[in-house]
Amino acid sequence: MFDFLKKKLKEVAEKITGKQKEIEEEKEKIVKEPEIVVKEKIEEKIPEIKEEVKEIKKDKSLFSKLKEKIVKKVLEKKLTREDLEPILENFEVELLEADVAFEVSEKIKNDLIKELEGKEIRKGSEKEVVVEAIRKSLSGILDLPKINLEEEIKKKKPYLMVFFGFNGSGKTTTIAKVANFLTKKGFTCVLAAGDTFRAASIEQIEEHAKKIGVPVIKQKYGADPAAVIFDARKYAEAKKIDVVLADTAGRSYTNENLMEELKKIVRVNKPDLKVLVIDSLTGNDAINQAKFFNEIGVDAVIFTKLDVNEKGGAILSVSYLLKKPILFICDGQKYEDIKYFDKEEFLNNLLSF
Ligand code: GDP
């Protein structure tokens, strides 16, 4: 999972670590062979005055003064912004390839410079320090509010969750997974076939409901989804069902009125949780999807298809933009392939190199 993003982060960590090691090697060399290093340093800076350097070397007092200054400078050298900037020059473009939005990689880059510039780094701990700096930055991006779904459901029954997302994001499958997950936790669920637009969507949700053994409330194709969800809520109230999980039509280019439809669903039914389902493979378009649905207000996000995702950047990008809890992540086509998002586990996986 996320091998591509992992590779990109590993590369940058290695480059910074390498630079730090170069600094250390120079320090060791200047302690062992000060004359040679000092000569190199002088020539490196002013190659065109090689002859004069010879003269300087003859002048013992001038040379030793210069030597003292250079040795001190080398021994005091730490990573600087000037060391880090060229390493991180193409960072944004590299991470863009892993679906990390430009603003996000820019933030990571600035965080790294801020964290590592002038830092005292013990020999042998270079990699650890650099990886820790990356972790700190990513952890900040994923510092999102949390939702304790099970506690929320216990507080308000029936608890209405409305799911929205682009076509094919895995919305219907995810609703079935969440219903199955909650059923296993001892909650009762009903599904609402609120996608009355896409052909076969009602049959699809019915099939899922049958497999996981929960009821589904439906009307005909073309019916008002707000009304279908309203019916499902009334059904849940009457039958004392804990959770209503409502499907909605996916965004597609032929469904221009979707936003109005979603606003009506929200106005009429006042969901307890508006859940955006995002296919993590969507790449950089994930940001546009998040912006689009945020117009009606997103309360939580679920990312799907992590099992087939090499990149992983969409999670960082959408989180940075929306700053909303990641409720679940889905990593497969089976009903069991769903779990609560665990930031530490995510970071450990990403930084295990
Ligand atoms: P919807 O149009 O958003 O309702 O999407 P569907 O629920 O119909 O899912 C679209 C496709 O994605 C189906 O083939 C699902 O089996 C597949 N899918 C959904 N979630 C996952 C997941 O986490 N991993 C994988 N590999 N496939 C998934």
Side-chain angles (χ1 to χ4, degrees):
M1 209 187 280
F2 312 137
D3 282 351
F4 193 72
L5 179 58
K6 224 188 233 183
K7 186 168 151 260
K8 294 283 171 197
L9 293 173
K10 180 173 184 240
E11 277 167 11
V12 79
E14 277 170 355
K15 280 190 206 153
I16 301 176
T17 305
K19 183 72 207 172
Q20 171 63 21
K21 285 187 176 160
E22 242 175 59
I23 295 172
E24 283 158 16
E25 275 163 21
E26 195 164 53
K27 284 182 190 175
E28 277 167 18
K29 197 167 166 201
I30 209 161
V31 171
K32 273 195 227 141
E33 299 163 326
E35 258 79 21
I36 296 176
V37 180
V38 169
K39 186 172 164 281
E40 278 171 7
K41 284 268 143 200
I42 299 171
E43 284 176 0
E44 181 189 303
K45 286 269 159 18
I46 34 178
E48 63 277 16
I49 57 151
K50 269 197 172 152
E51 286 311 307
E52 285 88 333
V53 170
K54 281 185 196 150
E55 293 305 310
I56 293 172
K57 286 196 74 187
K58 274 186 218 150
D59 182 338
K60 287 265 183 280
S61 84
L62 185 58
F63 184 71
S64 79
K65 254 193 216 156
L66 211 53
K67 183 176 133 186
E68 206 179 299
K69 263 195 171 167
I70 293 174
V71 170
K72 188 166 179 278
K73 231 179 152 49
V74 169
L75 290 179
E76 280 175 356
K77 169 102 173 85
K78 296 193 182 93
L79 278 175
T80 60
R81 179 173 281 268
E82 289 69 37
D83 294 324
L84 292 164
E85 267 172 356
I87 294 175
L88 296 167
E89 198 186 352
N90 294 321
F91 193 59
E92 288 97 338
V93 180
E94 301 254 326
L95 285 201
L96 210 54
E97 289 175 25
D99 295 342
V100 181
F102 194 83
E103 312 88 283
V104 182
S105 35
E106 200 172 45
K107 179 193 159 38
I108 302 173
K109 176 176 163 175
N110 291 334
D111 283 353
L112 288 183
I113 293 178
K114 208 162 91 193
E115 186 68 20
L116 296 172
E117 190 184 8
K119 191 167 177 102
E120 195 74 58
I121 302 176
R122 204 168 22 85
K123 193 168 180 326
S125 70
E126 304 86 356
K127 186 181 165 196
E128 198 183 306
V129 170
V130 175
V131 170
E132 209 35 58
I134 300 176
R135 177 189 291 271
K136 192 170 163 190
S137 175
L138 299 182
S139 181
I141 291 168
L142 293 171
D143 202 5
L144 307 165
K146 289 197 175 63
I147 288 187
N148 187 331
L149 182 64
E150 292 164 49
E151 285 307 313
E152 293 301 314
I153 295 172
K154 281 177 199 157
K155 277 191 256 169
K156 184 180 175 295
K157 293 180 184 180
Y159 187 79
L160 174 61
M161 300 172 78
V162 174
F163 293 75
F164 40 73
F166 264 52
N167 272 338
S169 60
K171 193 166 30 69
T172 314
T173 313
T174 302
I175 291 171
K177 285 176 179 173
V178 177
N180 188 54
F181 180 93
L182 291 173
T183 305
K184 294 228 159 84
K185 295 271 181 190
F187 297 103
T188 47
C189 298
V190 58
L191 310 187
D195 181 357
T196 58
F197 181 80
R198 186 168 60 100
S201 68
I202 299 178
E203 288 77 10
Q204 192 191 348
I205 201 165
E206 275 184 310
E207 201 174 307
H208 282 306
K210 208 162 109 193
K211 282 191 192 145
I212 58 176
V214 298
V216 57
I217 301 301
K218 61 169 184 174
Q219 287 184 19
K220 288 196 295 291
Y221 283 103
D224 181 353
V228 179
I229 297 169
F230 189 83
D231 283 355
R233 244 187 49 203
K234 288 285 155 210
Y235 178 89
E237 274 169 22
K239 303 265 176 190
K240 302 225 172 315
I241 289 176
D242 302 325
V243 192
V244 180
L245 300 104
D247 199 2
T248 60
R251 160 87 172 158
S252 77
Y253 299 104
T254 50
N255 192 0
E256 293 294 331
N257 296 325
L258 177 74
M259 190 47 75
E260 287 316 307
E261 188 180 293
L262 290 177
K263 280 181 182 162
K264 186 173 176 194
I265 290 174
V266 171
R267 203 169 54 238
V268 171
N269 292 290
K270 300 184 179 51
D272 299 295
L273 202 66
K274 299 187 284 302
V275 184
L276 173 61
V277 178
I278 291 194
D279 173 350
S280 60
L281 293 174
T282 321
N284 282 301
D285 195 46
I287 280 273
N288 297 334
Q289 297 186 7
K291 281 182 189 155
F292 176 81
F293 284 106
N294 206 27
E295 206 186 304
I296 46 163
V298 173
D299 299 319
V301 184
I302 297 180
F303 289 98
T304 64
K305 309 186 194 178
L306 264 68
D307 52 315
V308 279
N309 189 343
E310 289 297 299
K311 299 189 169 182
I315 295 186
L316 295 173
S317 304
V318 171
S319 298
Y320 187 64
L321 174 84
L322 291 182
K323 307 220 169 358
K324 295 292 176 188
I326 301 173
L327 187 57
F328 289 106
I329 49 169
C330 297
D331 56 357
Q333 305 207 39
K334 296 197 297 293
Y335 293 131
E336 297 74 34
D337 296 330
I338 183 166
K339 56 184 172 193
Y340 285 129
F341 176 69
D342 179 333
K343 180 168 104 171
E344 292 312 314
E345 193 183 316
F346 177 79
L347 291 177
N348 288 344
N349 171 34
L350 214 50
L351 299 172
S352 60
F353 48 75

